[in-house]
PDB file of all heavy atoms in Angstrom:
ATOM      1  N   MET A   5     140.552 146.420  45.765  1.00  0.00           N
ATOM      2  CA  MET A   5     141.374 147.143  44.849  1.00  0.00           C
ATOM      3  C   MET A   5     142.446 146.229  44.366  1.00  0.00           C
ATOM      4  O   MET A   5     143.020 145.453  45.096  1.00  0.00           O
ATOM      5  CB  MET A   5     141.927 148.371  45.549  1.00  0.00           C
ATOM      6  CG  MET A   5     143.233 148.909  45.036  1.00  0.00           C
ATOM      7  SD  MET A   5     143.653 150.460  45.919  1.00  0.00           S
ATOM      8  CE  MET A   5     144.947 149.811  46.936  1.00  0.00           C
ATOM      9  N   MET A   6     142.705 146.177  43.020  1.00  0.00           N
ATOM     10  CA  MET A   6     143.813 145.402  42.487  1.00  0.00           C
ATOM     11  C   MET A   6     145.086 146.125  42.614  1.00  0.00           C
ATOM     12  O   MET A   6     145.179 147.331  42.425  1.00  0.00           O
ATOM     13  CB  MET A   6     143.509 145.094  40.990  1.00  0.00           C
ATOM     14  CG  MET A   6     144.482 144.157  40.376  1.00  0.00           C
ATOM     15  SD  MET A   6     144.019 143.736  38.670  1.00  0.00           S
ATOM     16  CE  MET A   6     144.347 145.242  37.840  1.00  0.00           C
ATOM     17  N   ARG A   7     146.164 145.402  43.022  1.00  0.00           N
ATOM     18  CA  ARG A   7     147.410 146.050  43.225  1.00  0.00           C
ATOM     19  C   ARG A   7     148.478 145.367  42.419  1.00  0.00           C
ATOM     20  O   ARG A   7     148.556 144.106  42.249  1.00  0.00           O
ATOM     21  CB  ARG A   7     147.806 145.944  44.700  1.00  0.00           C
ATOM     22  CG  ARG A   7     149.246 146.226  44.987  1.00  0.00           C
ATOM     23  CD  ARG A   7     149.588 146.313  46.470  1.00  0.00           C
ATOM     24  NE  ARG A   7     148.786 147.343  47.122  1.00  0.00           N
ATOM     25  CZ  ARG A   7     148.845 147.504  48.409  1.00  0.00           C
ATOM     26  NH1 ARG A   7     149.670 146.796  49.174  1.00  0.00           N
ATOM     27  NH2 ARG A   7     148.152 148.470  48.990  1.00  0.00           N
ATOM     28  N   SER A   8     149.418 146.171  41.864  1.00  0.00           N
ATOM     29  CA  SER A   8     150.578 145.683  41.193  1.00  0.00           C
ATOM     30  C   SER A   8     151.738 145.849  42.192  1.00  0.00           C
ATOM     31  O   SER A   8     151.877 146.953  42.772  1.00  0.00           O
ATOM     32  CB  SER A   8     150.824 146.509  39.945  1.00  0.00           C
ATOM     33  OG  SER A   8     152.055 146.079  39.362  1.00  0.00           O
ATOM     34  N   PHE A   9     152.557 144.865  42.361  1.00  0.00           N
ATOM     35  CA  PHE A   9     153.624 144.897  43.420  1.00  0.00           C
ATOM     36  C   PHE A   9     154.828 144.161  42.942  1.00  0.00           C
ATOM     37  O   PHE A   9     154.813 142.920  42.670  1.00  0.00           O
ATOM     38  CB  PHE A   9     153.066 144.268  44.663  1.00  0.00           C
ATOM     39  CG  PHE A   9     153.975 144.534  45.891  1.00  0.00           C
ATOM     40  CD1 PHE A   9     153.733 145.634  46.681  1.00  0.00           C
ATOM     41  CD2 PHE A   9     154.976 143.662  46.202  1.00  0.00           C
ATOM     42  CE1 PHE A   9     154.528 145.847  47.797  1.00  0.00           C
ATOM     43  CE2 PHE A   9     155.824 143.873  47.296  1.00  0.00           C
ATOM     44  CZ  PHE A   9     155.538 144.951  48.133  1.00  0.00           C
ATOM     45  N   LEU A  48     145.174 130.494  40.861  1.00  0.00           N
ATOM     46  CA  LEU A  48     144.770 131.833  41.237  1.00  0.00           C
ATOM     47  C   LEU A  48     145.708 132.431  42.276  1.00  0.00           C
ATOM     48  O   LEU A  48     145.884 131.846  43.361  1.00  0.00           O
ATOM     49  CB  LEU A  48     143.336 131.776  41.777  1.00  0.00           C
ATOM     50  CG  LEU A  48     142.787 133.132  42.421  1.00  0.00           C
ATOM     51  CD1 LEU A  48     142.664 134.210  41.325  1.00  0.00           C
ATOM     52  CD2 LEU A  48     141.479 133.002  43.139  1.00  0.00           C
ATOM     53  N   PHE A  49     146.288 133.522  41.986  1.00  0.00           N
ATOM     54  CA  PHE A  49     147.092 134.284  42.952  1.00  0.00           C
ATOM     55  C   PHE A  49     146.203 135.374  43.663  1.00  0.00           C
ATOM     56  O   PHE A  49     145.670 136.237  42.921  1.00  0.00           O
ATOM     57  CB  PHE A  49     148.323 134.896  42.319  1.00  0.00           C
ATOM     58  CG  PHE A  49     149.286 133.844  41.815  1.00  0.00           C
ATOM     59  CD1 PHE A  49     149.277 133.429  40.467  1.00  0.00           C
ATOM     60  CD2 PHE A  49     150.222 133.267  42.652  1.00  0.00           C
ATOM     61  CE1 PHE A  49     150.155 132.380  40.035  1.00  0.00           C
ATOM     62  CE2 PHE A  49     151.070 132.279  42.266  1.00  0.00           C
ATOM     63  CZ  PHE A  49     151.051 131.884  40.914  1.00  0.00           C
ATOM     64  N   THR A  50     146.028 135.222  44.901  1.00  0.00           N
ATOM     65  CA  THR A  50     144.991 136.025  45.629  1.00  0.00           C
ATOM     66  C   THR A  50     145.575 136.441  46.980  1.00  0.00           C
ATOM     67  O   THR A  50     146.630 136.079  47.434  1.00  0.00           O
ATOM     68  CB  THR A  50     143.701 135.211  45.766  1.00  0.00           C
ATOM     69  OG1 THR A  50     142.671 135.962  46.339  1.00  0.00           O
ATOM     70  CG2 THR A  50     143.971 133.944  46.649  1.00  0.00           C
ATOM     71  N   SER A  51     144.697 137.254  47.698  1.00  0.00           N
ATOM     72  CA  SER A  51     145.094 137.633  49.016  1.00  0.00           C
ATOM     73  C   SER A  51     143.851 138.066  49.783  1.00  0.00           C
ATOM     74  O   SER A  51     142.906 138.692  49.222  1.00  0.00           O
ATOM     75  CB  SER A  51     146.030 138.840  49.025  1.00  0.00           C
ATOM     76  OG  SER A  51     146.266 139.309  50.318  1.00  0.00           O
ATOM     77  N   GLU A  52     143.754 137.759  51.084  1.00  0.00           N
ATOM     78  CA  GLU A  52     142.631 138.138  51.861  1.00  0.00           C
ATOM     79  C   GLU A  52     142.651 139.678  52.158  1.00  0.00           C
ATOM     80  O   GLU A  52     141.621 140.192  52.652  1.00  0.00           O
ATOM     81  CB  GLU A  52     142.601 137.397  53.202  1.00  0.00           C
ATOM     82  CG  GLU A  52     142.219 135.894  53.054  1.00  0.00           C
ATOM     83  CD  GLU A  52     141.988 135.161  54.326  1.00  0.00           C
ATOM     84  OE1 GLU A  52     142.445 135.684  55.380  1.00  0.00           O
ATOM     85  OE2 GLU A  52     141.422 134.084  54.277  1.00  0.00           O
ATOM     86  N   GLY A  53     143.775 140.294  51.905  1.00  0.00           N
ATOM     87  CA  GLY A  53     143.815 141.721  52.138  1.00  0.00           C
ATOM     88  C   GLY A  53     143.418 142.566  50.935  1.00  0.00           C
ATOM     89  O   GLY A  53     143.423 143.791  51.007  1.00  0.00           O
ATOM     90  N   CYS A  54     143.034 141.933  49.850  1.00  0.00           N
ATOM     91  CA  CYS A  54     142.740 142.598  48.606  1.00  0.00           C
ATOM     92  C   CYS A  54     141.217 142.540  48.340  1.00  0.00           C
ATOM     93  O   CYS A  54     140.658 141.455  48.244  1.00  0.00           O
ATOM     94  CB  CYS A  54     143.441 141.929  47.475  1.00  0.00           C
ATOM     95  SG  CYS A  54     142.782 142.192  45.815  1.00  0.00           S
ATOM     96  N   SER A  55     140.599 143.730  48.232  1.00  0.00           N
ATOM     97  CA  SER A  55     139.128 143.770  48.080  1.00  0.00           C
ATOM     98  C   SER A  55     138.636 143.314  46.699  1.00  0.00           C
ATOM     99  O   SER A  55     137.522 143.011  46.535  1.00  0.00           O
ATOM    100  CB  SER A  55     138.629 145.228  48.301  1.00  0.00           C
ATOM    101  OG  SER A  55     139.187 146.126  47.302  1.00  0.00           O
ATOM    102  N   SER A  56     139.542 143.228  45.733  1.00  0.00           N
ATOM    103  CA  SER A  56     139.180 142.689  44.384  1.00  0.00           C
ATOM    104  C   SER A  56     139.282 141.171  44.329  1.00  0.00           C
ATOM    105  O   SER A  56     138.847 140.622  43.339  1.00  0.00           O
ATOM    106  CB  SER A  56     140.063 143.275  43.337  1.00  0.00           C
ATOM    107  OG  SER A  56     139.941 144.714  43.187  1.00  0.00           O
ATOM    108  N   CYS A  57     139.809 140.626  45.386  1.00  0.00           N
ATOM    109  CA  CYS A  57     140.096 139.136  45.288  1.00  0.00           C
ATOM    110  C   CYS A  57     138.867 138.254  45.686  1.00  0.00           C
ATOM    111  O   CYS A  57     138.795 137.174  45.067  1.00  0.00           O
ATOM    112  CB  CYS A  57     141.232 138.829  46.235  1.00  0.00           C
ATOM    113  SG  CYS A  57     142.863 139.356  45.575  1.00  0.00           S
ATOM    114  N   PRO A  58     138.017 138.612  46.575  1.00  0.00           N
ATOM    115  CA  PRO A  58     136.845 137.681  46.862  1.00  0.00           C
ATOM    116  C   PRO A  58     136.038 137.282  45.618  1.00  0.00           C
ATOM    117  O   PRO A  58     135.676 136.087  45.515  1.00  0.00           O
ATOM    118  CB  PRO A  58     135.992 138.483  47.871  1.00  0.00           C
ATOM    119  CG  PRO A  58     137.055 139.279  48.539  1.00  0.00           C
ATOM    120  CD  PRO A  58     137.961 139.693  47.565  1.00  0.00           C
ATOM    121  N   ALA A  60     137.240 136.797  42.657  1.00  0.00           N
ATOM    122  CA  ALA A  60     138.114 135.862  41.975  1.00  0.00           C
ATOM    123  C   ALA A  60     138.089 134.542  42.709  1.00  0.00           C
ATOM    124  O   ALA A  60     138.107 133.472  42.109  1.00  0.00           O
ATOM    125  CB  ALA A  60     139.510 136.413  41.859  1.00  0.00           C
ATOM    126  N   ASP A  61     138.115 134.574  44.062  1.00  0.00           N
ATOM    127  CA  ASP A  61     138.056 133.350  44.875  1.00  0.00           C
ATOM    128  C   ASP A  61     136.742 132.610  44.534  1.00  0.00           C
ATOM    129  O   ASP A  61     136.769 131.388  44.394  1.00  0.00           O
ATOM    130  CB  ASP A  61     138.072 133.701  46.332  1.00  0.00           C
ATOM    131  CG  ASP A  61     139.363 134.416  46.808  1.00  0.00           C
ATOM    132  OD1 ASP A  61     140.358 134.341  46.060  1.00  0.00           O
ATOM    133  OD2 ASP A  61     139.374 134.993  47.899  1.00  0.00           O
ATOM    134  N   GLU A  83     146.633 130.206  45.455  1.00  0.00           N
ATOM    135  CA  GLU A  83     147.888 130.567  46.067  1.00  0.00           C
ATOM    136  C   GLU A  83     147.875 131.975  46.591  1.00  0.00           C
ATOM    137  O   GLU A  83     147.688 132.946  45.877  1.00  0.00           O
ATOM    138  CB  GLU A  83     149.015 130.433  45.013  1.00  0.00           C
ATOM    139  CG  GLU A  83     149.023 129.004  44.405  1.00  0.00           C
ATOM    140  CD  GLU A  83     149.937 128.848  43.199  1.00  0.00           C
ATOM    141  OE1 GLU A  83     151.063 129.385  43.204  1.00  0.00           O
ATOM    142  OE2 GLU A  83     149.474 128.268  42.191  1.00  0.00           O
ATOM    143  N   HIS A  84     147.999 132.081  47.919  1.00  0.00           N
ATOM    144  CA  HIS A  84     147.895 133.367  48.646  1.00  0.00           C
ATOM    145  C   HIS A  84     149.272 134.049  48.748  1.00  0.00           C
ATOM    146  O   HIS A  84     150.208 133.518  49.381  1.00  0.00           O
ATOM    147  CB  HIS A  84     147.285 133.133  50.049  1.00  0.00           C
ATOM    148  CG  HIS A  84     145.838 132.757  50.006  1.00  0.00           C
ATOM    149  ND1 HIS A  84     144.860 133.425  50.709  1.00  0.00           N
ATOM    150  CD2 HIS A  84     145.170 131.712  49.346  1.00  0.00           C
ATOM    151  CE1 HIS A  84     143.671 132.865  50.490  1.00  0.00           C
ATOM    152  NE2 HIS A  84     143.892 131.833  49.665  1.00  0.00           N
ATOM    153  N   VAL A  85     149.396 135.174  48.179  1.00  0.00           N
ATOM    154  CA  VAL A  85     150.662 135.947  48.131  1.00  0.00           C
ATOM    155  C   VAL A  85     150.754 136.726  49.472  1.00  0.00           C
ATOM    156  O   VAL A  85     149.769 136.922  50.165  1.00  0.00           O
ATOM    157  CB  VAL A  85     150.754 136.915  46.957  1.00  0.00           C
ATOM    158  CG1 VAL A  85     150.791 136.080  45.650  1.00  0.00           C
ATOM    159  CG2 VAL A  85     149.630 137.911  46.940  1.00  0.00           C
ATOM    160  N   ASP A  86     151.933 137.179  49.794  1.00  0.00           N
ATOM    161  CA  ASP A  86     152.183 137.876  51.040  1.00  0.00           C
ATOM    162  C   ASP A  86     152.408 139.367  50.958  1.00  0.00           C
ATOM    163  O   ASP A  86     152.587 139.986  52.047  1.00  0.00           O
ATOM    164  CB  ASP A  86     153.338 137.174  51.802  1.00  0.00           C
ATOM    165  CG  ASP A  86     154.704 137.461  51.140  1.00  0.00           C
ATOM    166  OD1 ASP A  86     154.746 137.896  49.972  1.00  0.00           O
ATOM    167  OD2 ASP A  86     155.762 137.224  51.814  1.00  0.00           O
ATOM    168  N   TYR A  87     152.325 139.955  49.810  1.00  0.00           N
ATOM    169  CA  TYR A  87     152.728 141.357  49.706  1.00  0.00           C
ATOM    170  C   TYR A  87     151.588 142.320  50.102  1.00  0.00           C
ATOM    171  O   TYR A  87     151.710 143.524  50.044  1.00  0.00           O
ATOM    172  CB  TYR A  87     153.206 141.716  48.336  1.00  0.00           C
ATOM    173  CG  TYR A  87     152.437 141.255  47.098  1.00  0.00           C
ATOM    174  CD1 TYR A  87     151.346 141.894  46.642  1.00  0.00           C
ATOM    175  CD2 TYR A  87     152.949 140.173  46.364  1.00  0.00           C
ATOM    176  CE1 TYR A  87     150.616 141.576  45.536  1.00  0.00           C
ATOM    177  CE2 TYR A  87     152.262 139.744  45.209  1.00  0.00           C
ATOM    178  CZ  TYR A  87     151.072 140.425  44.799  1.00  0.00           C
ATOM    179  OH  TYR A  87     150.452 140.015  43.695  1.00  0.00           O
ATOM    180  N   TRP A  88     150.428 141.830  50.532  1.00  0.00           N
ATOM    181  CA  TRP A  88     149.355 142.570  51.090  1.00  0.00           C
ATOM    182  C   TRP A  88     149.397 142.556  52.637  1.00  0.00           C
ATOM    183  O   TRP A  88     148.628 143.279  53.252  1.00  0.00           O
ATOM    184  CB  TRP A  88     147.971 142.029  50.690  1.00  0.00           C
ATOM    185  CG  TRP A  88     147.568 142.421  49.234  1.00  0.00           C
ATOM    186  CD1 TRP A  88     147.863 141.798  48.087  1.00  0.00           C
ATOM    187  CD2 TRP A  88     146.779 143.546  48.890  1.00  0.00           C
ATOM    188  NE1 TRP A  88     147.321 142.459  47.100  1.00  0.00           N
ATOM    189  CE2 TRP A  88     146.648 143.530  47.489  1.00  0.00           C
ATOM    190  CE3 TRP A  88     146.244 144.630  49.616  1.00  0.00           C
ATOM    191  CZ2 TRP A  88     145.898 144.488  46.795  1.00  0.00           C
ATOM    192  CZ3 TRP A  88     145.507 145.588  48.900  1.00  0.00           C
ATOM    193  CH2 TRP A  88     145.342 145.531  47.533  1.00  0.00           C
ATOM    194  N   ASP A  95     147.311 137.628  55.914  1.00  0.00           N
ATOM    195  CA  ASP A  95     146.574 136.475  55.358  1.00  0.00           C
ATOM    196  C   ASP A  95     147.218 135.253  55.963  1.00  0.00           C
ATOM    197  O   ASP A  95     148.378 134.967  55.802  1.00  0.00           O
ATOM    198  CB  ASP A  95     146.702 136.519  53.872  1.00  0.00           C
ATOM    199  CG  ASP A  95     145.919 135.487  53.157  1.00  0.00           C
ATOM    200  OD1 ASP A  95     145.598 134.441  53.797  1.00  0.00           O
ATOM    201  OD2 ASP A  95     145.541 135.668  51.979  1.00  0.00           O
ATOM    202  N   TRP A 102     154.678 131.404  47.447  1.00  0.00           N
ATOM    203  CA  TRP A 102     153.675 131.610  46.406  1.00  0.00           C
ATOM    204  C   TRP A 102     153.844 132.940  45.718  1.00  0.00           C
ATOM    205  O   TRP A 102     153.582 133.072  44.506  1.00  0.00           O
ATOM    206  CB  TRP A 102     152.220 131.539  46.937  1.00  0.00           C
ATOM    207  CG  TRP A 102     151.998 130.387  47.936  1.00  0.00           C
ATOM    208  CD1 TRP A 102     151.139 130.369  48.939  1.00  0.00           C
ATOM    209  CD2 TRP A 102     152.645 129.127  47.980  1.00  0.00           C
ATOM    210  NE1 TRP A 102     151.169 129.171  49.684  1.00  0.00           N
ATOM    211  CE2 TRP A 102     152.111 128.418  49.117  1.00  0.00           C
ATOM    212  CE3 TRP A 102     153.683 128.490  47.253  1.00  0.00           C
ATOM    213  CZ2 TRP A 102     152.565 127.096  49.471  1.00  0.00           C
ATOM    214  CZ3 TRP A 102     154.144 127.228  47.639  1.00  0.00           C
ATOM    215  CH2 TRP A 102     153.572 126.541  48.710  1.00  0.00           C
ATOM    216  N   THR A 103     154.291 133.966  46.451  1.00  0.00           N
ATOM    217  CA  THR A 103     154.680 135.208  45.850  1.00  0.00           C
ATOM    218  C   THR A 103     155.821 135.027  44.833  1.00  0.00           C
ATOM    219  O   THR A 103     155.692 135.596  43.744  1.00  0.00           O
ATOM    220  CB  THR A 103     155.140 136.245  46.898  1.00  0.00           C
ATOM    221  OG1 THR A 103     154.067 136.442  47.854  1.00  0.00           O
ATOM    222  CG2 THR A 103     155.585 137.581  46.341  1.00  0.00           C
ATOM    223  N   GLN A 106     154.485 133.359  41.673  1.00  0.00           N
ATOM    224  CA  GLN A 106     153.812 134.322  40.799  1.00  0.00           C
ATOM    225  C   GLN A 106     154.810 135.223  40.104  1.00  0.00           C
ATOM    226  O   GLN A 106     154.702 135.496  38.852  1.00  0.00           O
ATOM    227  CB  GLN A 106     152.847 135.219  41.601  1.00  0.00           C
ATOM    228  CG  GLN A 106     152.070 136.176  40.662  1.00  0.00           C
ATOM    229  CD  GLN A 106     151.251 137.242  41.469  1.00  0.00           C
ATOM    230  OE1 GLN A 106     151.627 137.606  42.607  1.00  0.00           O
ATOM    231  NE2 GLN A 106     150.178 137.723  40.893  1.00  0.00           N
ATOM    232  N   VAL A 110     155.210 136.286  36.015  1.00  0.00           N
ATOM    233  CA  VAL A 110     155.138 137.644  35.431  1.00  0.00           C
ATOM    234  C   VAL A 110     156.459 138.036  34.826  1.00  0.00           C
ATOM    235  O   VAL A 110     156.469 138.966  33.977  1.00  0.00           O
ATOM    236  CB  VAL A 110     154.553 138.645  36.438  1.00  0.00           C
ATOM    237  CG1 VAL A 110     153.229 138.214  36.954  1.00  0.00           C
ATOM    238  CG2 VAL A 110     155.517 138.818  37.648  1.00  0.00           C
ATOM    239  N   ASP A 116     154.755 143.396  36.508  1.00  0.00           N
ATOM    240  CA  ASP A 116     154.754 143.287  37.976  1.00  0.00           C
ATOM    241  C   ASP A 116     153.621 142.363  38.418  1.00  0.00           C
ATOM    242  O   ASP A 116     152.615 142.214  37.748  1.00  0.00           O
ATOM    243  CB  ASP A 116     154.544 144.645  38.644  1.00  0.00           C
ATOM    244  CG  ASP A 116     155.722 145.582  38.475  1.00  0.00           C
ATOM    245  OD1 ASP A 116     156.851 145.022  38.394  1.00  0.00           O
ATOM    246  OD2 ASP A 116     155.561 146.782  38.482  1.00  0.00           O
ATOM    247  N   ALA A 117     153.810 141.741  39.548  1.00  0.00           N
ATOM    248  CA  ALA A 117     152.773 140.876  40.140  1.00  0.00           C
ATOM    249  C   ALA A 117     151.533 141.671  40.577  1.00  0.00           C
ATOM    250  O   ALA A 117     151.747 142.848  40.996  1.00  0.00           O
ATOM    251  CB  ALA A 117     153.305 140.030  41.245  1.00  0.00           C
ATOM    252  N   TYR A 118     150.402 141.117  40.447  1.00  0.00           N
ATOM    253  CA  TYR A 118     149.157 141.817  40.899  1.00  0.00           C
ATOM    254  C   TYR A 118     148.173 140.797  41.332  1.00  0.00           C
ATOM    255  O   TYR A 118     148.307 139.588  41.038  1.00  0.00           O
ATOM    256  CB  TYR A 118     148.582 142.663  39.760  1.00  0.00           C
ATOM    257  CG  TYR A 118     148.153 141.901  38.565  1.00  0.00           C
ATOM    258  CD1 TYR A 118     146.898 141.312  38.471  1.00  0.00           C
ATOM    259  CD2 TYR A 118     148.983 141.737  37.480  1.00  0.00           C
ATOM    260  CE1 TYR A 118     146.505 140.590  37.370  1.00  0.00           C
ATOM    261  CE2 TYR A 118     148.625 141.047  36.310  1.00  0.00           C
ATOM    262  CZ  TYR A 118     147.382 140.420  36.272  1.00  0.00           C
ATOM    263  OH  TYR A 118     146.996 139.723  35.180  1.00  0.00           O
ATOM    264  N   THR A 119     147.207 141.234  42.084  1.00  0.00           N
ATOM    265  CA  THR A 119     146.108 140.320  42.537  1.00  0.00           C
ATOM    266  C   THR A 119     144.780 140.984  42.187  1.00  0.00           C
ATOM    267  O   THR A 119     144.686 142.245  42.267  1.00  0.00           O
ATOM    268  CB  THR A 119     146.161 140.082  44.061  1.00  0.00           C
ATOM    269  OG1 THR A 119     146.177 141.286  44.782  1.00  0.00           O
ATOM    270  CG2 THR A 119     147.389 139.267  44.431  1.00  0.00           C
ATOM    271  N   PRO A 120     143.762 140.211  41.845  1.00  0.00           N
ATOM    272  CA  PRO A 120     143.870 138.740  41.690  1.00  0.00           C
ATOM    273  C   PRO A 120     144.363 138.424  40.240  1.00  0.00           C
ATOM    274  O   PRO A 120     144.053 139.180  39.312  1.00  0.00           O
ATOM    275  CB  PRO A 120     142.411 138.254  41.817  1.00  0.00           C
ATOM    276  CG  PRO A 120     141.607 139.447  41.331  1.00  0.00           C
ATOM    277  CD  PRO A 120     142.342 140.672  41.737  1.00  0.00           C
ATOM    278  N   GLU A 121     145.089 137.294  40.118  1.00  0.00           N
ATOM    279  CA  GLU A 121     145.586 136.886  38.751  1.00  0.00           C
ATOM    280  C   GLU A 121     145.337 135.473  38.602  1.00  0.00           C
ATOM    281  O   GLU A 121     145.647 134.633  39.479  1.00  0.00           O
ATOM    282  CB  GLU A 121     147.043 137.174  38.657  1.00  0.00           C
ATOM    283  CG  GLU A 121     147.576 136.794  37.287  1.00  0.00           C
ATOM    284  CD  GLU A 121     149.068 136.932  37.122  1.00  0.00           C
ATOM    285  OE1 GLU A 121     149.855 136.779  38.144  1.00  0.00           O
ATOM    286  OE2 GLU A 121     149.559 137.131  35.980  1.00  0.00           O
ATOM    287  N   LEU A 122     144.883 135.063  37.412  1.00  0.00           N
ATOM    288  CA  LEU A 122     144.719 133.699  37.055  1.00  0.00           C
ATOM    289  C   LEU A 122     145.792 133.313  36.046  1.00  0.00           C
ATOM    290  O   LEU A 122     146.138 134.159  35.159  1.00  0.00           O
ATOM    291  CB  LEU A 122     143.332 133.410  36.377  1.00  0.00           C
ATOM    292  CG  LEU A 122     142.188 133.215  37.361  1.00  0.00           C
ATOM    293  CD1 LEU A 122     140.862 133.154  36.617  1.00  0.00           C
ATOM    294  CD2 LEU A 122     142.386 131.963  38.203  1.00  0.00           C
ATOM    295  N   PHE A 130     146.073 136.578  33.281  1.00  0.00           N
ATOM    296  CA  PHE A 130     145.055 137.634  33.081  1.00  0.00           C
ATOM    297  C   PHE A 130     144.410 137.895  34.483  1.00  0.00           C
ATOM    298  O   PHE A 130     144.591 137.134  35.475  1.00  0.00           O
ATOM    299  CB  PHE A 130     143.969 137.236  32.066  1.00  0.00           C
ATOM    300  CG  PHE A 130     143.322 135.867  32.299  1.00  0.00           C
ATOM    301  CD1 PHE A 130     142.165 135.792  32.996  1.00  0.00           C
ATOM    302  CD2 PHE A 130     143.935 134.734  31.851  1.00  0.00           C
ATOM    303  CE1 PHE A 130     141.608 134.491  33.197  1.00  0.00           C
ATOM    304  CE2 PHE A 130     143.437 133.480  32.032  1.00  0.00           C
ATOM    305  CZ  PHE A 130     142.199 133.404  32.788  1.00  0.00           C
ATOM    306  N   VAL A 131     143.618 138.988  34.556  1.00  0.00           N
ATOM    307  CA  VAL A 131     142.970 139.410  35.748  1.00  0.00           C
ATOM    308  C   VAL A 131     142.008 138.302  36.256  1.00  0.00           C
ATOM    309  O   VAL A 131     141.221 137.777  35.439  1.00  0.00           O
ATOM    310  CB  VAL A 131     142.216 140.683  35.597  1.00  0.00           C
ATOM    311  CG1 VAL A 131     141.405 141.084  36.886  1.00  0.00           C
ATOM    312  CG2 VAL A 131     143.195 141.827  35.199  1.00  0.00           C
ATOM    313  N   GLY A 132     142.153 137.905  37.516  1.00  0.00           N
ATOM    314  CA  GLY A 132     141.509 136.753  38.007  1.00  0.00           C
ATOM    315  C   GLY A 132     139.982 136.723  38.255  1.00  0.00           C
ATOM    316  O   GLY A 132     139.463 135.740  38.667  1.00  0.00           O
ATOM    317  N   ASN A 133     139.330 137.848  38.031  1.00  0.00           N
ATOM    318  CA  ASN A 133     137.888 137.911  38.286  1.00  0.00           C
ATOM    319  C   ASN A 133     137.094 138.068  36.954  1.00  0.00           C
ATOM    320  O   ASN A 133     136.052 138.667  36.901  1.00  0.00           O
ATOM    321  CB  ASN A 133     137.485 139.024  39.262  1.00  0.00           C
ATOM    322  CG  ASN A 133     138.071 140.306  38.920  1.00  0.00           C
ATOM    323  OD1 ASN A 133     138.567 140.542  37.809  1.00  0.00           O
ATOM    324  ND2 ASN A 133     138.120 141.243  39.858  1.00  0.00           N
ATOM    325  N   GLU A 202     141.147 145.844  53.739  1.00  0.00           N
ATOM    326  CA  GLU A 202     140.112 146.185  52.778  1.00  0.00           C
ATOM    327  C   GLU A 202     138.888 145.245  52.865  1.00  0.00           C
ATOM    328  O   GLU A 202     137.794 145.699  52.452  1.00  0.00           O
ATOM    329  CB  GLU A 202     140.704 146.131  51.334  1.00  0.00           C
ATOM    330  CG  GLU A 202     141.660 147.220  51.051  1.00  0.00           C
ATOM    331  CD  GLU A 202     142.153 147.258  49.598  1.00  0.00           C
ATOM    332  OE1 GLU A 202     141.624 146.412  48.826  1.00  0.00           O
ATOM    333  OE2 GLU A 202     142.993 148.069  49.257  1.00  0.00           O
TER     334      GLU A 202
END
Side-chain angles (χ1 to χ4, degrees):
M5 154 174 108
M6 184 174 71
R7 166 174 298 179
S8 176
F9 191 91
L48 172 65
F49 293 96
T50 185
S51 171
E52 289 188 344
C54 160
S55 61
S56 297
C57 288
D61 297 344
E83 302 169 46
H84 290 235
V85 298
D86 68 345
Y87 49 79
W88 281 89
D95 187 333
W102 316 152
T103 298
Q106 183 188 28
V110 300
D116 289 333
Y118 61 86
T119 55
E121 181 186 28
L122 279 172
F130 52 95
V131 177
N133 50 17
E202 292 187 2

